[in-house]
């Protein structure tokens, strides 16, 4: 697949960029879930929300079926980008499944920092763990249907259309998640593990995954606090990265 | 940090350039991109609760989600405009979406 779809070229920051932030959304999402960060981030950070194959601009492309191969491909894209542009400090962020992809990429491309959100450390994962699926599908469906009916009463097929659009992506990503294998050995960059206080996953630091510092922060919100409170997540990034960005915030 | 609306030359793909947006309801003519863009822009602004968007601003960068995209789809269909939710994901700016869905439009 063309790298331009997977790693869209970030827009010109207008000023000299001080770091390169690459963010991976949770399962079932595309880059749209994180694109709103552009309004929140410091103007001199380059920002690339990754769009996994088969969705959004890549609609119709085959889904990624192997997380190692996907990480290889993303790493190759990042290395190619760094070969032609400034060698900015690379910071990787990933939400839930995206955190695991970000970790695999950090094992392939030297990163200054890794942020994982709603993503417990690999050693605490069980093979069958399925933290990407909302706990009660039917309840969620009823809730979405209720709001859609109230907001768009004339369009009865809207819920089915929305479900048909998102369900194949979620199913593909759950399949992708099953191919994750914890990488050998630790990273050497600092790792921030961010959690929602209302999530069912335990707030554990990624201590075993790095020889650097493993930070752990708990923010208000559910498993989806990244979407619920983007400002709070960006504030954690800005605070944690001040030494890297030179205090640009 | 929303950019000021820019003016764009009429797209070459639009056969009805120059027609006033309101005139799109001509009984025998399908809406062209020039008529679609302001309607899409208005739907984006309404569902994002964000007046003053430009025709080249990205729906998702401005805070849109798959859910709000569904609502925009419903708003536009109510005006007789044919599109799918997926179209907004593929072409997330008012101008880009207008060009993408223009061939789908039938005479009103």
């Amino acid at each position: 697949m063309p790298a331009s779809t997977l790693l869209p070229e970030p827009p010109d920051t207008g000023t000299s960029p001080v770091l390169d932030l690459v963010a991976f959304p949770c399962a079932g999402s595309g880059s749209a879930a994180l694109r709103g960060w552009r309004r929140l981030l410091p103007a001199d950070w380059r920002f690339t929300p990754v769009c996994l194959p088969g969705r959004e601009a890549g609609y119709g492309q085959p889904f990624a079926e192997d997380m190692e191969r996907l990480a290889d491909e993303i790493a190759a894209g990042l290395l190619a980008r760094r070969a032609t542009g400034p060698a900015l400090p690379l910071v990787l962020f990933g939400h839930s499944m995206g955190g695991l992809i970000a970790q695999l990429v950090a094992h392939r491309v030297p990163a200054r920092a890794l942020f994982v959100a709603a993503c417990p450390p690999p050693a605490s994962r069980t093979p069958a763990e399925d933290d990407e699926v909302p706990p009660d599908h039917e309840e969620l469906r009823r809730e979405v249907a209720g709001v859609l009916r109230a907001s768009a009463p004339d369009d009865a097929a809207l819920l089915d259309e929305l479900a048909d659009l998102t369900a194949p992506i979620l199913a593909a990503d759950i399949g992708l998640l099953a191919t994750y294998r914890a990488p050998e050995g630790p990273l050497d960059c600092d790792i921030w593990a961010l959690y929602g206080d209302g999530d069912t996953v335990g707030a554990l630091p990624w201590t075993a995954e790095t020889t650097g510092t493993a930070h752990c922060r708990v923010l208000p919100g559910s498993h989806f606090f990244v979407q619920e409170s983007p400002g709070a997540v960006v504030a954690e990034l800005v605070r944690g990265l001040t030494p890297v960005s030179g205090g640009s915030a | 940090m929303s950019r000021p609306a820019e003016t764009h030359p009429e797209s070459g793909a639009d056969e009805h350039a120059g027609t006033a947006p309101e005139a799109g309801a001509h009984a025998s003519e399908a809406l062209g991109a020039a008529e679609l863009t302001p309607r899409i822009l208005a739907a984006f602004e309404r569902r994002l609760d964000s007046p003053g968007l430009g025709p080249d601003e990205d729906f998702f960068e401005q805070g849109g989600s798959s859910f709000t995209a569904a609502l925009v789809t419903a708003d536009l269909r109510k005006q007789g405009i044919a599109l799918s939710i997926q179209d907004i994901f593929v072409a997330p700016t008012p101008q880009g979406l207008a060009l993408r869905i223009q061939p789908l439009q039938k005479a009103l």
Side-chain angles (χ1 to χ4, degrees):
Chain A
M1 63 171 299
S4 57
T5 310
L6 190 61
L7 283 172
E9 191 56 33
D12 194 349
T13 58
T15 51
S16 293
V18 295
L19 65 78
D20 200 358
L21 172 62
V22 178
F24 300 83
C26 64
S29 295
S31 68
L34 296 170
R35 261 188 264 171
W37 281 18
R38 284 225 173 91
R39 295 183 301 169
L40 306 169
L41 291 166
D44 55 3
W45 289 18
R46 280 211 338 179
F47 175 55
T48 307
V50 173
C51 185
L52 299 186
R55 65 208 71 189
E56 297 180 0
Y59 183 70
Q61 294 169 345
F63 291 113
E65 292 176 341
D66 183 278
M67 211 187 270
E68 298 278 339
R69 278 211 305 276
L70 177 66
D72 287 343
E73 200 174 335
I74 292 164
L78 287 174
L79 288 169
R81 209 163 81 172
R82 294 167 77 74
T84 56
L88 300 170
L90 177 67
V91 176
L92 301 171
F93 171 93
H95 178 199
S96 202
M97 178 188 80
L100 299 176
I101 301 174
Q103 182 207 20
L104 295 185
V105 172
H107 275 269
R108 290 161 169 78
V109 187
R112 283 292 293 274
L114 169 65
F115 283 77
V116 292
C119 182
S124 74
R125 295 180 64 82
T126 54
E129 187 165 10
D130 203 358
D131 55 7
E132 302 288 345
V133 184
D136 187 338
H137 239 108
E138 271 313 304
E139 191 187 329
L140 183 69
R141 195 181 158 90
R142 271 196 301 277
E143 209 171 292
V144 172
V147 183
L148 282 179
R149 250 196 313 278
S151 312
D154 306 325
D155 211 324
L158 206 57
L159 177 64
D160 286 336
E161 186 179 344
L162 192 57
D164 289 346
L165 181 64
T166 51
I169 296 172
L170 187 59
D173 287 352
I174 289 169
L176 180 66
L177 184 61
T179 67
Y180 171 79
R181 300 289 174 270
E184 302 262 329
L187 294 167
D188 59 8
C189 63
D190 287 0
I191 302 180
W192 278 259
L194 312 179
Y195 296 96
D197 62 6
D199 197 352
T200 52
V201 303
L204 300 168
W206 278 46
T207 316
E209 300 302 325
T210 182
T211 56
T213 308
H215 307 266
C216 188
R217 300 268 189 279
V218 179
L219 303 175
S222 73
H223 186 72
F224 297 98
F225 70 94
V226 174
Q227 273 94 52
E228 293 158 4
S229 313
V233 177
V234 167
E236 283 298 330
L237 285 159
V238 169
R239 197 172 316 148
L241 293 172
T242 301
V244 180
S245 64
S248 68
Chain B
M1 208 172 68
S2 87
R3 286 161 287 166
E6 292 168 28
T7 49
H8 286 259
E10 297 298 339
S11 160
D14 174 32
E15 299 296 317
H16 309 293
T19 316
E22 293 75 13
H26 271 312
S28 58
E29 294 198 17
L31 292 174
E35 291 97 357
L36 289 167
T37 302
R39 293 171 185 231
I40 294 167
L41 190 56
F44 278 21
E45 288 177 334
R46 175 175 177 226
R47 291 306 186 178
L48 294 172
D49 194 17
S50 180
L53 286 185
D56 58 354
E57 288 193 272
D58 182 306
F59 180 76
F60 300 102
E61 229 169 272
Q62 298 304 320
S65 63
S66 50
F67 183 73
T68 40
L71 298 179
V72 165
T73 304
D75 288 353
L76 293 171
R77 282 185 188 151
K78 217 169 162 182
Q79 301 174 42
I81 296 169
L83 81 163
S84 67
I85 303 171
Q86 176 63 32
D87 289 320
I88 301 176
F89 280 92
V90 175
T93 68
Q95 183 126 14
L97 182 58
L99 289 171
R100 178 177 169 83
I101 66 174
Q102 193 272 327
L104 308 175
Q105 308 311 313
K106 296 200 170 67
L108 289 172

